[in-house]
Amino acid sequence: MKPEKHLEVLPKSIWVFHCNSGSCNGCDIEIVATISPRYDIERFGMKLVGTPRHADALLVTGPVTKYMTDRLRRIYAQIPDPKVVIVVGNCGCSGDVFYKSYNLDGPVDNIIPVDVYVNGCPPRPEAIIEGVAKAVLKLEKIRETLTVPKETPVVSAEPEEEYIHDA
Ligand code: SF4
C-alpha cells in the first residue's frame, strides 16, 4: 500500500491495547521492536496503553485459544467507541498452520470484527507500522460519520423554568 498523503500529519494519536490471544510470542517481539528506538512508532503517535478503557485500537496476536475467547470478547467490549481492531500475524489472520486445531476458537474474526490484517510469521515492524497507518485512516472515517450534523438543534444551557427561591 502506498502511504496516503494526508497521513503525513496524523490527525490524532492512536492509543493501542495489545492482547496476546495465544501467540508463540514471535509477533509480540516484533511489536516491541516497533516501539524500540530503531523504529520508534511513538513518534507517529502510536502508544501502547495498559488498559482497554484508554484505547482507540485493539491489536491482537495469536490464533485465539479457547481459553482466551471470552477474555478477548470482554477486552473488546471495554474499548470505547469508535474503535478499530488490528490483527498482527498469520495465526490471528487465518489460523495458519493451527487452522481448525481442536483447542482454537479463532482466527480472530471468528470472535470479534477485524478492521486491519497484517500478515506474516511474524510480520516485520514496517508491516505493523503500515497496518497501524491503515487503522488510523479507518478510525478517522468512522469518526467522520459520528460528527454532529449542522441542522441538529442546539440545546440551551439555560433552565426552561425560572426557579423562585424563598427569601
Ligand atoms: S504468526 Fe508466526 S510468529 Fe506470530 S504467533 Fe503465529 S507462529 Fe508465532
Side-chain angles (χ1 to χ4, degrees):
M1 173 186 123
K2 276 194 169 177
E4 301 262 345
K5 195 156 175 70
H6 60 273
L7 259 189
E8 286 172 7
V9 178
L10 285 183
K12 185 179 177 297
S13 298
I14 184 168
W15 286 14
V16 176
F17 184 80
H18 171 209
C19 170
N20 177 336
S21 75
S23 127
C24 75
N25 213 29
C27 289
D28 310 85
I29 288 169
E30 297 302 321
I31 291 164
V32 172
T34 64
I35 57 175
S36 66
R38 183 180 175 110
Y39 294 96
D40 192 16
I41 197 172
E42 283 190 2
R43 73 199 143 115
F44 301 128
M46 177 192 143
K47 181 173 143 60
L48 288 180
V49 291
T51 165
R53 293 174 197 277
H54 294 168
D56 306 295
L58 175 59
L59 191 155
V60 188
T61 56
V64 194
T65 58
K66 287 186 182 297
Y67 180 79
M68 285 301 293
T69 304
D70 277 347
R71 287 163 175 80
L72 182 61
R73 280 203 191 101
R74 275 169 24 215
I75 289 168
Y76 178 78
Q78 286 177 52
I79 299 178
D81 287 323
K83 59 189 165 194
V84 287
V85 176
I86 311 161
V87 177
V88 169
N90 286 350
C91 283
C93 291
S94 65
D96 205 35
V97 293
F98 307 111
Y99 181 66
K100 287 197 172 170
S101 174
Y102 70 95
N103 57 353
L104 294 187
D105 283 332
V108 176
D109 55 12
N110 281 353
I111 317 298
I112 54 174
V114 174
D115 298 285
V116 179
Y117 298 87
V118 181
N119 282 287
C121 180
R124 288 190 52 77
E126 292 91 337
I128 297 172
I129 292 170
E130 186 184 34
V132 172
K134 287 179 184 171
V136 170
L137 291 173
K138 183 92 193 253
L139 199 55
E140 281 310 298
K141 270 190 189 156
I142 299 171
R143 285 195 179 120
E144 278 165 21
T145 65
L146 296 178
T147 51
V148 182
K150 280 186 183 138
E151 60 270 17
T152 302
V154 178
V155 179
S156 169
E158 297 297 319
E160 286 183 4
E161 293 176 20
E162 196 173 317
Y163 294 98
I164 301 166
H165 300 280
D166 292 335

